[in-house]
Amino acid sequence: MNNRGPGQQGHAGAALVITCEHGGNRIPPPYRALFAPHRALLRSHRGFDAGALVMARALASEFGVPLLTATVSRLLVDLNRSVGHRQLHFDPVLELPDTRRQHILQRYYQPYRSQAERLVTEAIAERGRVIHLSCHSFTPELDGNRRTADIGLLYDPARPGEKALCARWKRMFSIHAPELAVRRNYPYAGRNDGLTTWLRKRHSPEAYVGIEIEINQKHVTRTTQQWTTLREAVIESLHAAMTACDDPAAQAKPGRGPNRAIATQSPNAVSEPRRRATGVRT
């Protein structure tokens, strides 16, 4: 595990940190029998956020910043939910003895949360401000309702830094990829229970900017080129949004010096080697 520094300077001197809480649908051996009847569910949007891991890797590689990821299925334990939340575990896990559920929290949940907090705290200590991007994806249709966005940007409207960055990012999408439907606080509210909400309680609005990016999974099932193009649009528009600052028309990319791409792993995380951004799958 390599944790040497908070990564590249971003907007207004801020550091940038990338996380992915629902990157895979892996079930550790001690719990595989429990999930044997639920293989189809594990492969669905309920088991993991398809494509979110590749999007997170692409962003971290492009910007040269720390990346924290997890591949244990959210059905075993949802790293983007608070302890006590009704969706923290899938029903069969809830039926396990309390000692086993506590072991799951100690083995997978708490190390991830602790490392996310440490990366954010280190970034703030070094730069004074951090932009945390949490990568997710959503199913194109839920309960018979079709989702009407390609990309969602989730934030807390009460925090000016988050609101301003998402407004700029949405504007830059309209420049770099006008064909994409980008909506703010959709398909979920940015203030809902989650990792960013948890971190907001620990850091001031001046120090912490937490954004969840949600990608519509319909792009995964289409051509590789289409998904590559969307991934490039996410990266290009973010570069422009972080460069724009007070000039919303600015489109130049920030300088790319010898920044380090740092991949952090907890017991349920995967180590991410540095790479140039390529095609994305979600």
Side-chain angles (χ1 to χ4, degrees):
M1 180 164 52
N2 185 352
N3 299 312
R4 296 172 298 140
Q8 179 187 10
Q9 179 170 307
H11 166 63
L16 183 63
V17 169
I18 311 293
T19 68
C20 181
E21 288 68 62
H22 302 149
N25 57 2
R26 182 170 62 89
I27 298 297
Y31 308 101
R32 287 177 185 168
L34 189 67
F35 281 88
H38 306 290
R39 291 192 180 96
L41 195 65
L42 283 168
R43 293 191 294 268
S44 76
H45 69 94
R46 290 188 61 189
F48 73 118
D49 281 3
L53 179 60
V54 183
M55 186 74 256
R57 288 172 173 170
L59 284 164
S61 178
E62 178 71 18
F63 285 87
V65 298
L67 171 63
L68 177 64
T69 69
T71 58
V72 165
S73 175
R74 64 196 299 176
L75 292 176
L76 181 70
V77 58
D78 193 330
L79 305 178
N80 204 39
R81 294 288 178 262
S82 297
V83 173
H85 192 280
R86 60 185 178 83
Q87 294 179 337
L88 182 66
H89 303 291
F90 183 41
D91 289 347
V93 180
L94 288 173
E95 296 171 3
L96 292 174
D98 181 68
T99 53
R100 294 196 69 188
R101 283 186 281 110
Q102 288 301 317
H103 180 265
I104 290 171
L105 293 178
Q106 293 168 8
R107 177 69 175 83
Y108 304 105
Y109 182 92
Q110 291 167 358
Y112 189 92
R113 285 290 182 112
S114 295
Q115 290 188 55
E117 166 69 356
R118 180 177 51 77
L119 285 175
V120 165
T121 300
E122 288 179 354
I124 293 171
E126 182 166 326
R127 295 279 169 75
R129 189 166 183 256
V130 64
I131 296 172
H132 167 214
L133 297 183
S134 176
C135 294
H136 297 269
S137 66
F138 60 93
T139 182
E141 184 176 306
L142 184 65
D143 299 330
N145 298 314
R146 185 177 65 86
R147 262 69 179 273
T148 58
D150 297 295
I151 293 171
L153 303 176
L154 313 187
Y155 64 98
D156 184 344
R159 295 172 77 98
E162 296 181 10
K163 183 176 180 179
L165 177 57
C166 285
R168 278 195 306 275
W169 199 356
K170 186 175 186 294
R171 264 198 313 271
M172 293 308 167
F173 268 113
S174 70
I175 294 171
H176 293 272
E179 73 282 1
L180 295 176
V182 180
R183 297 182 61 178
R184 288 178 288 175
N185 281 333
Y186 182 90
Y188 310 106
R191 297 174 69 173
N192 287 351
D193 182 61
L195 179 61
T196 54
T197 299
W198 181 74
L199 288 166
R200 288 180 192 123
K201 295 175 182 178
R202 287 156 174 75
H203 303 285
S204 71
E206 294 75 25
Y208 175 78
V209 174
I211 309 295
E212 291 182 78
I213 178 169
E214 291 271 0
I215 306 294
N216 192 321
Q217 294 171 7
K218 70 181 183 181
H219 294 282
V220 180
T221 60
R222 298 183 179 177
T223 66
T224 301
Q225 184 55 50
Q226 177 177 338
W227 180 228
T228 300
T229 300
L230 187 142
R231 182 270 305 165
E232 290 170 349
V234 170
I235 290 172
E236 294 301 314
S237 60
L238 180 59
H239 270 302
M242 293 175 68
T243 302
C245 297
D246 297 325
D247 178 9
Q251 300 183 48
K253 293 181 180 179
R256 303 185 195 176
N259 299 296
R260 297 184 297 269
I262 302 168
T264 305
Q265 60 178 357
S266 63
N268 63 331
V270 293
S271 179
E272 309 297 343
R274 179 166 184 161
R275 69 193 80 182
R276 294 295 297 172
T278 55
V280 181
R281 178 181 177 277
T282 187

